[in-house]
């Protein structure tokens, strides 16, 4: 029940043991030429496979033609159109400004990645069929590193459309993934191309040599990952440094040899002790094999009954002669097939052997995520090999073994998930301790891993035993399963997404970092405590920030490249100030790539400044329109033309209030009850439900007296004045939609749900993400938010739109023409791996953000806000900043602080939230229960702050 790749050079042992071996190399023979082109198909081959300036020899050209035909065969079998050759009209593009995901390798191996990339980033997933289509050029300012340029490739688009393209000038790769290994074709040249690049690489020859050393990876999995591996005895000759030292692992014994000869006594003693030991469990056979980069996928396997101690020892001794430095000979237990109870009579014949392929990907924060599981089944007395067995789902195979009970299958799937993710975690931990040279480059890292498991029984329980790590083989098996005609009809809830989906998301995420590293951005307005993450993220991304801020003592002034002290609060002079700031920027010689702001007060000034400096931004008129709440609604009410549905369908009747006379007029124009709020307000300060004309007059008078200017309540927009508006009160649930727009196109949208507010005020109490709404309702909210932004002229940027979902559809509350505040950026990054800050920075630089088309949430977050007026005592004791931060670091909750306690002290009727406390879980119900228990334990829940009520919408 061993998982074997296609095997290669034979090693001779003059013994009568059972020998299992495959052909030489993937295709047989060692000529270095591809197999005969015998694909059944009628596609054209008179296409432009030659790359100008990089002629290929006959052998290289044969491989290029072979891979092109293989690609057409894959397209044909998937029911997709033949590749269109448009290389005669080169693509011009914007070199250096585009996401360019480049794969060099076999189309069949990376098939699922290529198709998924064409969906998530149309036209940016490129397949190179020859190393000659790529060029490395020295990178300025990066000694020893090179940029990778793509001159020709097959580009992938939605619907499986493919085009053979030339690029003039060449596109600069922002991510590179190559098929590596000691095999014919592209391996050696690909390894050289992948080394020391300025763009991220998902594999390197250096890492492949480590991960494809079976002995090293087993030691790594057993020691660091706690993953079950077959009991193994290994004889090593001058082992690599990574194999030396460390604690011994149960069932894994390494014997270091001083030489390859004269080891008879030692080998016989060690083999005898191993075969008689209890670590082999119920294994009846052992396998003897060579381990090391040279032998990976190119070895014969010899099986022996466990009782034949002498024969095993002789096989080991004979094979020692073949060893070179850093290689080993291993004796390992052959995991016995799991014999499960069958309903009725057990079937005749040998037990069913099962191999499990798990693909696990690196996601946001270097966290492993199981992407897909594929299984193969065969006779228990024969090894199962990749590409020689049919792919099936785990549920189908377990049912064939007699395990069909849903709960038991779920338990075993969880064990596979835990083991596979632990395997990648162990690999990432190993890589973190390696130098750039050892990894093959500063940005080289393992982004996905295939883990082969055997299904066996130990201690009365079904367990997955890790046999080996690979990359393309498991990925190819998953792609084969996804390509089945019936697959869309038979997928279970756990098998919804393509195996490559998380990998492509990681490619895009790392590409964004590549594109933005070293960019110079001007930030207007530093914000408060809630925006501390900006400076940490900028350092992590390699951004060069220059800050314009009114407070000369702001902590951020010490964290930026350039600090410009300038009063940005006089908004009546925004146009004049924009000109003055532009002169200051030029005088300092700043070479800016972009300029943006995430602070409400500075959005119009920022748009005007971008206009002065010729930098990308939404028009100042659009920013002014979105900034003033009544103008937003009244303008959208007039947007009634096609295409339908028009923005007017989402707008809410309202009336601006500048004087008491306006109030008297408004109560006759706007249906009551209504909502009164500040025109330029933020944080729901001063927002109130008014039932009648008397309450309208009272609230207008109170605001006019209490909140006259910036000094009365800093940071909520009073620098723009304290005018108000009255709008109709809309019944329904409240939601936030955070959008990323580029060139008027919607790139991403994230919907969250808000809990009921504490009327008559509207301060936020609770939230959850992702939304619990039905998909149709979620789509309605996204469409409403998108169309309202377009209606106001907001075409480029990251925007936060607040809406209510009524019984007749979405209605607009307001548009915030900047990144969502409070916890939203943090939650979206945690759940979806998408950083709105980085997306906003990319748009500001005129770059299309590198985002997945439909990012999937990795779980659920449910949170409540903390208010000083309600929680001052617990915020000073059980729920202090230090206590909440400690729980956050332990992963028990997510803590987002919005301000210091001093900043939010004051009258409760005008207060802003102090913080958010949230819990994560795989399901919404579980996250809700965890949070309720946490709030009760910390004292946040109470009679005057009923958390259960605030969470009541999230069911």
């Amino acid at each position: 029940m061993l998982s074997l790749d296609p095997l290669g050079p034979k090693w001779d042992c003059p013994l009568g043991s059972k020998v299992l071996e495959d052909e030489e190399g993937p295709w047989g023979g060692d000529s270095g030429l591809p197999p005969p082109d015998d694909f059944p198909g009628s596609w054209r081959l008179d296409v432009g496979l030659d790359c100008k300036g990089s002629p290929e020899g006959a052998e290289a050209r044969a491989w290029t033609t072979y891979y092109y035909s293989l690609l057409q065969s894959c397209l044909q079998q998937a029911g997709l159109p033949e590749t269109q050759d448009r290389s005669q009209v080169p693509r011009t593009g914007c070199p250096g400004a585009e996401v360019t995901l480049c794969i060099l390798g076999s189309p069949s191996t990376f098939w699922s990645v290529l198709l998924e990339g064409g969906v998530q980033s149309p036209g940016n997933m490129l397949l190179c069929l020859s190393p000659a289509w790529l060029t490395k050029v020295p990178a300025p300012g990066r000694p020893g590193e090179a940029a990778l340029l793509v001159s020709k490739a097959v580009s992938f688009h939605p619907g499986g459309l493919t085009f053979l393209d030339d690029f003039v000038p060449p596109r600069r790769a922002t991510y590179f993934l190559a098929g590596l290994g000691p095999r014919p074709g592209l391996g050696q040249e690909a390894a050289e191309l992948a080394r020391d690049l300025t763009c991220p690489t998902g594999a390197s020859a250096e890492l492949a040599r480590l991960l494809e050393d079976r002995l090293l990876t087993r030691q790594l999995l057993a020691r660091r990952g706690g993953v079950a591996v077959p009991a193994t005895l290994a004889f090593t000759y001058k082992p690599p440094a990574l194999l030396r030292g460390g604690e011994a692992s149960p069932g894994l014994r390494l014997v270091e040899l001083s030489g390859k000869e004269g080891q008879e006594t030692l080998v016989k003693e060690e083999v005898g002790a191993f075969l008689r030991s209890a670590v082999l469990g119920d294994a009846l056979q052992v396998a003897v094999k060579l381990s090391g980069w040279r032998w990976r996928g190119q070895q014969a396997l010899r099986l022996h009954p466990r009782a034949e101690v002498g024969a095993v020892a002789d096989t080991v001794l004979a094979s020692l002669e073949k060893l070179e430095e850093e290689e080993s000979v291993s004796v390992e237990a052959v995991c016995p097939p799991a014999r499960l109870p069958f309903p009725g009579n057990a079937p005749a014949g040998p037990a069913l052997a099962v191999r499990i392929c798990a693909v696990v990907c690196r996601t946001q924060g270097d966290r492993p995520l199981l992407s897909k599981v594929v299984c193969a089944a065969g006779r228990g007395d024969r090894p199962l090999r990749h590409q020689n067995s049919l792919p099936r789902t785990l549920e189908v195979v377990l049912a064939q073994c007699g395990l069909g009970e849903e709960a038991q299958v779920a338990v075993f799937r969880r064990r596979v998930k835990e083991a596979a993710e632990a395997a990648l975690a162990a690999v990432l931990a190993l890589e973190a301790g390696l130098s750039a040279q050892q990894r093959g480059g500063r940005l080289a890292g393992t982004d996905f891993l295939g883990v082969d498991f055997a299904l066996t029984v130990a201690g009365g329980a079904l367990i997955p035993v890790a046999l080996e790590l690979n990359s393309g083989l498991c990925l190819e098996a998953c792609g084969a399963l996804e390509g089945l005609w019936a697959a869309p009809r038979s997928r279970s809830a756990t098998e919804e997404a393509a195996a490559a989906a998380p990998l492509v998301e990681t490619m895009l995420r790392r590409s964004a970092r590549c594109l933005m590293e070293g960019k110079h951005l001007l930030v207007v307005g530093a914000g408060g405590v809630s925006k501390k993450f900006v400076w940490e993220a900028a350092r992590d991304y390699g951004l060069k920030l220059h800050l314009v801020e009114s407070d000369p003592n702001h902590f951020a002034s010490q964290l930026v490249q350039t600090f410009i002290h300038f009063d940005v609060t006089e908004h009546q002079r925004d146009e004049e100030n924009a000109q003055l700031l532009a002169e200051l920027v030029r005088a300092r010689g700043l070479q800016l790539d972009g300029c943006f702001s995430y602070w409400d007060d500075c959005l119009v000034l920022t748009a005007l400044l971008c206009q002065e400096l010729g930098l990308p931004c939404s028009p100042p008129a659009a920013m002014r329109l979105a900034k003033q709440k009544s103008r937003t609604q009244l303008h959208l009410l007039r947007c009634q033309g096609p295409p339908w549905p028009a923005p007017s369908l989402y707008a809410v009747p309202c009336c601006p209030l500048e004087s008491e006379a306006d109030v008297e007029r408004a109560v006759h124009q706007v249906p009551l009850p209504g909502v009164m709020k500040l025109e330029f307000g933020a944080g729901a300060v001063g927002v109130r439900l008014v039932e009648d004309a008397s309450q309208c007059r009272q609230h207008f008078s109170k605001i006019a007296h209490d909140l006259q200017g910036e000094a009365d309540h800093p940071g909520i927009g009073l620098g723009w004045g304290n005018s108000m508006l009255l709008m109709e009160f809309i019944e329904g649930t409240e939601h936030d939609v955070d959008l990323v727009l580029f060139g008027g196109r919607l790139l991403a949208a994230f919907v969250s749900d808000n809990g009921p507010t504490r009327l008559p005020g509207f301060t936020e109490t609770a939230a959850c993400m992702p939304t619990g709404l039905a998909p149709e309702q979620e789509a309605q909210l996204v469409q409403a938010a998108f169309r309202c932004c377009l209606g106001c002229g907001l075409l480029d940027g990251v925007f936060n739109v607040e809406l209510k979902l009524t019984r007749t559809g979405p209605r607009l509350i307001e548009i915030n023409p900047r990144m969502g505040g409070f916890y939203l950026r943090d939650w979206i990054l945690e759940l979806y791996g998408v950083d709105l800050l980085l997306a906003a920075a990319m748009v500001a630089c005129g770059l299309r953000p590198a985002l997945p088309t439909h990012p999937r949430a990795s779980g659920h977050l449910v949170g409540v806000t903390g208010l000083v007026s309600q929680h001052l005592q617990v915020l000073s004791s059980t729920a202090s900043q230090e206590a909440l931060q400690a729980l956050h670091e332990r992963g028990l909750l997510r803590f987002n602080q919005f301000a210091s306690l001093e900043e939010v002290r004051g009258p409760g009727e005008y207060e802003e939230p102090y913080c958010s406390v949230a819990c994560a879980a795989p399901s919404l119900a579980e996250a809700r229960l965890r949070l309720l228990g946490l709030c009760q334990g910390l004292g946040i829940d109470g009679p005057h702050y009923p958390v259960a009520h605030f969470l009541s919408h999230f069911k």
Side-chain angles (χ1 to χ4, degrees):
M1 213 173 77
L2 297 173
S3 175
L4 301 178
D5 297 335
L7 308 178
K10 302 183 177 101
W11 51 288
D12 300 320
C13 290
L15 301 168
S17 57
K18 185 177 180 181
V19 182
L20 298 169
E21 56 190 17
D22 280 347
E23 299 173 336
E24 241 177 350
W27 325 114
D30 56 2
S31 67
L33 292 172
D37 187 349
D38 56 357
F39 299 107
S42 58
W43 49 82
R44 296 179 55 182
L45 289 176
D46 57 337
V47 294
L49 296 178
D50 290 323
C51 189
K52 295 176 182 178
S54 300
E56 291 183 305
E59 183 179 313
R61 177 56 190 261
W63 276 105
T64 304
T65 304
Y66 170 80
Y67 281 133
Y68 183 79
S69 290
L70 177 57
L71 170 62
Q72 302 315 306
S73 181
C74 291
L75 290 167
Q76 179 191 62
Q77 294 183 41
L80 299 173
E82 180 180 342
T83 298
Q84 298 181 38
D85 183 5
R86 56 183 189 185
S87 59
Q88 301 306 313
V89 182
R91 309 289 102 186
T92 53
C94 306
E98 306 155 305
V99 170
T100 302
L101 312 176
C102 179
I103 290 180
L104 174 65
S106 167
S108 60
T109 298
F110 296 105
W111 183 241
S112 60
V113 185
L114 295 165
L115 291 181
E116 183 67 20
V119 172
Q120 292 203 32
S121 190
N124 297 324
M125 175 60 77
L126 306 181
L127 170 65
C128 288
L129 301 176
S130 167
W133 295 7
L134 295 158
T135 309
K136 286 177 76 170
V137 297
R142 295 281 185 187
E145 293 187 355
L148 187 65
L149 304 182
V150 187
S151 299
K152 179 186 283 288
V154 177
S155 59
F156 282 71
H157 299 258
L161 296 179
T162 56
F163 299 92
L164 181 61
D165 287 326
D166 276 14
F167 303 102
V168 179
R171 287 179 67 159
R172 179 169 66 91
T174 59
Y175 185 94
F176 183 56
L177 181 61
L180 301 165
R183 56 179 63 91
L186 310 177
Q188 187 172 354
E189 292 170 283
E192 183 53 41
L193 284 170
R195 186 172 291 113
D196 294 322
L197 294 178
T198 55
C199 72
T201 58
S204 71
E206 288 76 6
L207 293 177
R209 288 183 70 92
L210 296 177
L211 299 183
E212 295 191 358
D213 184 320
R214 187 187 299 261
L215 182 58
L216 175 61
T217 55
R218 287 205 179 162
Q219 185 186 66
L220 179 68
L221 296 185
R223 285 184 180 175
R224 296 196 182 188
V227 179
V229 298
T232 303
L233 168 67
F235 298 92
T236 68
Y237 175 60
K238 296 185 178 180
L242 291 173
L243 271 175
R244 296 178 189 143
E247 298 178 2
S249 302
L252 188 62
R253 176 165 173 74
L254 276 62
V255 179
E256 186 172 344
L257 302 176
S258 57
K260 293 186 288 184
E261 298 178 355
Q263 305 294 329
E264 291 83 356
T265 302
L266 175 62
V267 168
K268 290 180 179 179
E269 289 177 355
E270 290 286 351
V271 168
F274 177 71
L275 295 181
R276 289 187 290 269
S277 69
V279 296
L280 272 71
D282 297 330
L284 299 177
Q285 287 182 304
V286 293
V288 181
K289 60 182 68 174
L290 289 164
S291 177
W293 170 255
R294 191 165 60 103
W295 298 99
R296 177 63 171 91
Q298 300 183 11
Q299 59 174 303
L301 168 71
R302 294 189 176 269
L303 293 179
H304 291 272
R306 177 179 175 180
E308 295 182 356
V309 178
V312 174
D314 288 341
T315 303
V316 171
L317 288 168
S319 61
L320 287 180
E321 299 175 5
K322 305 293 183 182
L323 285 189
E324 293 182 0
E325 292 185 10
E326 300 191 351
E327 295 180 347
S328 62
V329 178
S330 65
V331 183
E332 64 182 59
V334 176
C335 299
R339 295 183 179 273
L340 303 177
F342 278 80
N345 296 325
L352 199 65
V354 176
R355 187 194 68 236
I356 301 168
C357 274
V359 173
V360 58
C361 301
R362 182 208 302 251
T363 59
Q364 169 65 29
D366 292 338
R367 289 175 297 190
L369 174 68
L370 178 68
S371 174
K372 181 149 291 192
V373 175
V374 173
C375 296
R379 289 170 59 100
D381 57 348
R382 298 177 184 175
L384 287 171
R385 297 176 174 87
H386 275 289
Q387 301 172 334
N388 286 328
S389 54
L390 296 174
R392 306 179 188 183
T393 64
L394 179 65
E395 288 77 8
V396 166
V397 168
L398 290 181
Q400 288 178 324
C401 292
L403 189 70
E405 213 250 308
E406 187 175 338
Q408 292 177 315
V409 173
V411 168
F412 183 72
R413 175 176 282 277
R414 186 168 63 250
R415 288 175 184 159
V416 172
K417 174 180 172 64
E418 291 170 353
E421 292 178 352
L424 180 55
V427 169
L428 297 181
L430 171 69
E431 292 180 5
L434 301 177
S435 66
Q437 182 179 6
Q438 289 174 311
R439 292 197 308 273
R442 177 175 57 94
L443 298 177
T446 299
D447 285 335
F448 78 103
L449 199 63
V451 188
D452 268 329
F453 294 100
L455 174 65
T456 191
V457 175
L462 266 183
I463 62 166
V465 176
L467 300 174
E468 63 182 3
L469 305 181
N470 65 72
S471 51
L473 291 168
C474 283
L475 190 64
E476 191 165 3
C478 290
L481 179 67
E482 293 167 359
L484 293 176
W485 180 81
R489 296 166 176 80
S490 62
R491 282 182 185 153
S492 65
T494 56
E495 295 284 336
E496 292 177 356
L503 173 58
V504 174
E505 291 176 13
T506 295
M507 290 176 164
L508 291 170
R509 188 180 304 114
R510 296 188 71 189
S511 288
R513 285 175 169 266
C514 176
L515 286 168
M516 292 301 292
E517 186 178 20
K519 296 291 186 188
H520 289 258
L521 289 107
L522 185 67
V523 178
V524 183
V529 171
S530 65
K531 298 300 186 287
K532 285 183 67 174
F533 67 84
V534 171
W535 320 107
E536 300 165 2
R539 182 175 61 251
D540 182 38
Y541 292 134
L543 302 177
K544 309 297 183 183
L545 296 189
H546 309 270
L547 176 63
V548 177
E549 168 58 35
S550 304
D551 179 4
N553 299 314
H554 197 286
F555 69 87
S557 64
Q558 305 300 313
L559 304 176
V560 292
Q561 303 288 312
T562 306
F563 179 70
I564 301 176
H565 177 220
F566 191 93
D567 186 1
V568 297
T569 63
E570 297 184 32
H571 301 298
Q572 303 305 318
R573 302 178 57 189
D574 272 348
E575 293 188 6
E576 177 186 344
N577 286 340
Q579 296 173 357
L580 292 173
L581 274 174
E583 292 174 8
L584 285 174
V585 168
R586 296 187 188 103
R588 294 192 180 217
L590 299 182
Q591 300 297 314
L592 299 175
D593 296 292
C595 171
F596 76 117
S597 179
Y598 44 77
W599 198 241
D600 278 291
D601 266 11
C602 300
L603 298 175
V604 174
L605 173 61
T606 301
L608 291 165
L609 178 57
C610 287
Q611 192 176 63
E612 289 287 333
L613 295 173
L615 296 172
C617 188
S618 287
M623 283 294 188
R624 289 187 186 277
L625 187 59
K627 178 64 183 166
Q628 188 170 353
K629 296 177 177 62
S630 66
R631 286 189 62 195
T632 303
Q633 299 283 6
L634 295 173
H635 171 79
L636 292 176
L637 283 169
R638 293 192 292 270
C639 295
Q640 299 181 0
W644 181 85
S648 59
L649 293 174
Y650 308 117
V652 178
C654 67
C655 189
L657 308 175
E658 302 243 356
S659 65
E660 293 183 2
D662 292 333
V663 177
E664 296 302 325
R665 183 170 56 255
V667 296
H668 294 95
Q669 294 179 357
V670 178
L672 295 177
V675 178
M676 291 185 70
K677 60 173 70 176
L678 289 164
E679 280 276 25
F680 304 96
V685 174
V687 184
R688 187 176 180 86
L689 178 70
V690 285
E691 303 280 355
D692 52 36
S694 174
Q695 289 185 3
C696 291
R697 288 189 288 268
Q698 290 175 7
H699 192 56
F700 182 85
S701 177
K702 182 172 180 57
I703 293 295
H705 176 269
D706 294 346
L707 302 177
Q708 297 182 8
E710 184 72 14
D712 294 323
H713 204 305
I716 65 162
L718 291 173
W720 289 86
N722 67 345
S723 56
M724 302 187 73
L725 74 150
L726 173 66
M727 64 186 295
E728 181 181 353
F729 175 69
I730 304 298
E731 293 280 0
T733 56
E734 190 170 333
H735 307 269
D736 279 62
V737 182
D738 289 272
L739 306 172
V740 181
L741 272 62
F742 186 76
R745 289 173 171 79
L746 177 62
L747 302 188
F750 307 93
V751 180
S752 54
D753 304 338
N754 292 337
T757 58
R758 302 168 66 235
L759 297 176
F762 286 85
T763 302
E764 184 175 315
T765 59
C768 78
M769 182 182 283
T771 176
L773 296 173
E776 179 184 340
Q777 294 174 309
E778 180 183 16
Q780 288 177 343
L781 286 170
V782 171
Q783 177 177 248
F786 178 41
R787 290 181 180 268
C788 287
C789 285
L790 290 185
C792 289
L794 298 172
L795 305 179
D796 296 280
V798 176
F799 308 118
N800 171 258
V801 183
E802 299 176 28
L803 302 118
K804 275 196 171 182
L805 185 61
T806 73
R807 287 182 294 179
T808 57
R811 294 294 182 271
L812 177 66
I813 298 175
E814 63 189 46
I815 298 174
N816 298 304
R818 42 78 181 158
M819 177 177 62
F822 290 166
Y823 49 81
L824 285 169
R825 179 260 180 181
D826 178 60
W827 282 20
I828 292 169
L829 181 59
E830 171 70 14
L831 291 175
Y832 297 94
V834 172
D835 192 345
L836 294 185
L837 173 65
L838 186 60
M842 293 189 75
V843 174
C845 292
L847 300 176
R848 180 187 175 102
L851 300 175
T853 305
H854 298 290
R856 299 168 300 127
S858 60
H860 293 262
L861 277 167
V862 178
V864 296
T865 56
L867 302 175
V868 171
S869 64
Q870 303 297 316
H871 304 120
L872 181 58
Q873 183 176 351
V874 297
L875 290 174
S876 303
S877 55
T878 54
S880 66
Q881 177 184 342
E882 294 76 17
L884 293 176
Q885 189 63 43
L887 292 171
H888 175 94
E889 291 171 358
R890 291 172 56 193
L892 299 177
L893 58 79
R894 293 201 74 79
F895 171 56
N896 293 97
Q897 186 178 357
F898 309 144
S900 66
L901 282 174
E902 291 70 24
E903 288 176 319
V904 291
R905 289 179 188 271
E909 59 187 322
Y910 296 137
E911 77 174 324
E912 298 175 85
Y914 162 71
C915 69
S916 167
V917 175
C919 284
S923 70
L924 178 61
E926 187 178 347
R928 180 177 174 272
L929 288 175
R930 285 185 186 179
L931 180 64
L932 184 57
L934 185 82
C935 289
Q936 291 170 346
L938 292 174
I940 295 173
D941 180 44
H944 301 289
Y945 203 78
V947 171
H949 169 65
F950 299 145
L951 303 182
S952 60
H953 287 180
F954 312 146
K955 292 183 179 178

